[in-house]
Amino acid sequence: EDVKARAMEQGALVTVLSQARNGDIEVKRNVAYILALLCESIAFHDDLIRDGGLDDIINLATLEDEECQEMMAFGLAHLSSNRDLQVQIVEAGALRPLVAMLSTNAEPRHYAGLALLKLADNFANHQRIAAEGGIQALLRLARARSTDEELQYKAALVVGSLASNAVKFLPQNGAAPGAAQPTEIPSSSDGASPAQGGEGGAFGTSSMPVGELSRKMAQSKTKEFLDRSLKKTR
């Protein structure tokens, strides 16, 4: 954390983001790795948003590269734990790549599922999630044998409420769309109603732990960096 803080103080984020649109896939992977590490710390969330990092994270998540997808799904899962950013993340276009990742059996699916569950913890996002195919994506997650039990349970809980509220937002008896009140399910963490939000959110998924980037991935990245550095000195 101290290393990250010092790097941020010296303007490293601007340099990293300037390379996010570099055509070299290895550069993109390294950028994704650094951004994922920064997303782990809520202390850097405001800096990432201020400097345009969210757009770059979403762009990297849309690449057809499993490594970039996994790291950016990991980053989005951490950003989505921040309730102040949940609506902004959806409005920025994060749902489409997350839903796409959930349609495969690849490694990014776990983190993509966590991110989508956390975004669904905010009722303001429900219409957009339903429109982007999020209900079907979470249903697949709930049925997947490879999914851990807590993730399956949360996904099943969220799917039911999303489907219910998607129907309620449809115009009925001449009422304007969105006039109906969303289904209220007590939060599993603090008892606040979903309509009010509460710190725990609608389902308490905002506080679900995301974990850390795997040691294997960190070792691999470090080895690749050293190998490239050695080649340059020869």
Side-chain angles (χ1 to χ4, degrees), residues 59-131:
N59 287 333
L60 289 167
T62 63
L63 296 177
E64 293 183 6
D65 180 81
E66 190 172 308
E67 193 171 325
C68 283
Q69 288 180 359
E70 182 175 11
M71 287 185 283
M72 292 301 85
F74 173 88
L76 285 168
H78 276 288
L79 286 177
S80 299
S81 299
N82 187 333
R83 286 190 59 79
D84 293 336
L85 301 180
Q86 287 171 344
V87 172
Q88 187 173 351
I89 290 169
V90 168
E91 290 177 344
L95 290 177
R96 187 159 297 178
L98 291 174
V99 169
M101 290 180 212
L102 283 168
S103 67
T104 70
N105 290 320
E107 290 296 326
R109 184 174 65 175
H110 176 78
Y111 292 130
L114 272 174
L116 191 54
L117 283 173
K118 290 170 183 290
L119 293 174
D121 217 23
N122 194 316
F123 269 93
N125 289 332
H126 278 200
Q127 279 185 289
R128 294 285 291 273
I129 290 173

Side-chain angles (χ1 to χ4, degrees), residues 193-217:
S193 72
Q196 294 172 334
E199 291 184 5
F203 312 102
T205 55
S206 290
S207 58
M208 285 180 70
V210 177
E212 300 177 350
L213 284 176
S214 70
R215 183 182 298 272
K216 182 179 179 181
M217 182 183 291

